[in-house]
Amino acid sequence: MLSITQARALHLAAQGLLQPSARKASRPALLRTIERMALLQIDTIHVVNRSPYLVLFSRLGHYQPVWLEDALAQGQLFETWAHEACFALRADLLLHRAYNRSARRHWGLTNAVTNQEANRPQLDNLLAHIRANGPVKSSDFKGTETRTSAWWGWKDEKRWLETLFASGEIMVARRENFHRVYDLTERVAPEVQGAEVNGAPSDELMHSAWIEKAVEALGITQARWINDYFRTKPRLRDADLDALVDTGALLRVAVDGWASLAYVHHTHKALLNKAAAGKLQATHTALLSPFDPVVWDRERAATLFDFDYRLECYTPEPKRVHGYFVLPILCCGELIGRLDAKAHRAQGLFEVRALFAQPGAAWTDAQVESVAKAIADFADWHGTPKVQLAKAQPATLVKRLRSALAAHASATNPS
């Protein structure tokens, strides 16, 4: 039996968010961070910064964003449809390709099937162009954009490129200013052709592999949350996991207050024992991306952290409760609030439009100090060291946070 605090600690330890990184950020550490999450979701909104960079910063601290792009260009990572559009480790390439072709039902894949049927001659012409002329970007083609609901108003060439990407005929070779550069799969990942000739993994093996990978990445999870991690089907029940429990791949545990059983991957047995003994101490404070694995499942975040989080950037402004791009605040094992922010790089200004503490929770002085330091470090990494806090709920937090931010700025820049 674990307490909810112990369950949170186990989850954060698996995700790399239990304690601040003890080592200076490095390229190998970036790859290890993605490996433990198994996925790094991609999103293009950059009112603060694009999500994958934020997810990495919350775990690594100050690092060079170009390391992510280099890892893709060097073939250590690849891009795929999974939870959504994601970076993943090259070691999982064949498993993702096989599942995307046989079982995953994502809009990016289903739209591609429809587009293949309607535009095969154009797709073949585009493949021939890439084969003859080398990698291409969508911007290489002038085209005429046509507004559609499913394909975000992309021009024909962009839709065709995304269709070929979804079908696996081309891959993202690298990114330039975060724009995809596509090339033939046989050139980006020549090992694919030979491996796929020998046949894909069986459905049973893929099913078990995705379950194990999701449970390992989550640290601890209920059965009903597992499928969301990689967007696999179907949603699982406890009985569906009996075989993996019987083989020892998964460990069944109970969490105080949960009506459902929980699962831990066997590779986390030592962490589980530490958690049960109260030896996993959460000491890390960070601002999380809206697309961080910790919060991307609304039900899981609510059950595990008592934190009801909804991304509101796609909600009409009059209906937003907290703001356009709201960052959850992780503080020493708890999600204690959220802030709506914008980075003004030209002015060196990090604007906190509003900060909201969790209802009914009064922040301690230690929490105020930890959050102020996290905000200041986050802003400094963005090249926006001047922090401006407009408002907070409760209003009494404004003065306390401004004072802590000022003290941190003075300590960092005594001149």
Side-chain angles (χ1 to χ4, degrees), residues 337-401:
R338 63 200 87 198
L339 61 85
D340 184 26
K342 181 176 177 62
H344 303 272
R345 288 174 177 77
Q347 294 80 34
L349 173 67
F350 187 76
E351 177 189 8
V352 181
R353 295 166 169 172
L355 184 147
F356 305 86
Q358 277 291 83
W363 285 13
T364 65
D365 290 342
Q367 287 174 320
V368 170
E369 171 58 30
S370 292
V371 172
K373 183 180 184 303
I375 293 173
D377 287 346
F378 188 80
D380 183 63
W381 179 69
H382 280 92
T384 54
K386 182 181 178 182
V387 179
Q388 182 181 85
L389 173 61
K391 63 179 181 179
Q393 290 182 6
T396 53
L397 271 179
V398 173
K399 183 177 180 180
R400 297 171 68 196
L401 279 167

Side-chain angles (χ1 to χ4, degrees), residues 145-194:
E145 296 187 3
T146 304
R147 177 64 58 184
T148 66
S149 59
W151 288 79
W152 300 87
W154 289 338
K155 59 191 174 186
D156 287 342
E157 289 81 3
K158 174 62 174 175
R159 285 194 293 274
W160 297 337
L161 286 167
E162 288 299 315
T163 295
L164 292 169
F165 168 71
S167 69
E169 295 171 84
I170 62 175
M171 293 178 64
V172 179
R174 62 183 185 276
R175 281 181 177 258
E176 294 179 0
N177 296 322
F178 212 70
H179 296 293
R180 284 173 163 175
V181 179
Y182 307 84
D183 200 357
L184 301 178
T185 294
E186 63 202 55
R187 293 201 285 238
V188 178
E191 73 272 20
V192 164
Q193 190 171 8

Side-chain angles (χ1 to χ4, degrees), residues 42-44 50 52-53 69 87 175-180:
I42 302 167
D43 194 86
T44 57
R50 291 184 174 91
Y53 301 125
E69 296 164 10
F87 295 108
R175 281 181 177 258
E176 294 179 0
N177 296 322
F178 212 70
H179 296 293
R180 284 173 163 175

Side-chain angles (χ1 to χ4, degrees), residues 216-288:
E216 186 174 13
L218 287 167
I220 185 168
T221 178
Q222 293 183 14
R224 59 186 287 107
W225 303 334
I226 293 172
N227 74 294
D228 177 74
Y229 204 82
F230 291 102
R231 295 281 166 84
T232 54
K233 297 289 185 182
R235 174 170 273 197
L236 302 172
R237 299 169 298 174
D238 292 314
D240 298 319
L241 303 177
D242 285 344
L244 289 171
V245 172
D246 290 343
T247 64
L250 301 183
L251 309 173
R252 266 196 182 113
V253 300
V255 177
D256 188 26
W258 288 7
S260 300
L261 293 167
Y263 296 85
V264 176
H265 196 262
H266 72 91
T267 55
H268 288 323
K269 188 173 183 178
L271 277 179
L272 173 61
N273 290 336
K274 286 184 177 181
K279 294 182 179 179
L280 290 182
Q281 298 300 314
T283 60
H284 188 37
T285 298
L287 306 181
L288 303 184

Side-chain angles (χ1 to χ4, degrees), residues 106-128:
H106 188 284
W107 68 264
L109 299 171
T110 55
N111 283 343
V113 171
T114 301
N115 213 27
Q116 277 188 306
E117 295 171 353
N119 298 284
R120 192 66 245 183
Q122 294 92 328
L123 298 175
D124 289 338
N125 288 339
L126 185 52
L127 283 172

